[in-house]
Amino acid sequence: MKQNIGIFIKEYRNQRRLSQTEFAKRAGITQAIVSNLERGQVKSVTTAHATGIARAMGMTISEFMEKVEV
């Protein structure tokens, strides 16, 4: 079952004890985007953002897309 993208990111960060800023830097996106996703303010992401997030999580874009609702 796919998970909400914001919840998925937040759980990933918390498990690894990463701040939003640290995760954003790894993903090549801004901290504001991470915050907005986690708070449900943004329901989808661009392909470039999804690719960066997947890479920061050590996944391919395909693996990431299988796990989240975007």
Side-chain angles (χ1 to χ4, degrees), residues 22-57:
E22 290 169 316
F23 181 79
K25 188 180 290 188
R26 292 179 184 198
I29 60 178
T30 66
Q31 179 274 329
I33 292 171
V34 175
S35 177
N36 288 337
L37 284 166
E38 290 184 0
R39 289 184 290 125
Q41 301 267 324
V42 177
K43 303 279 188 228
S44 64
V45 293
T46 66
T47 302
H49 290 164
T51 301
I53 293 166
R55 186 176 41 247
M57 293 179 162

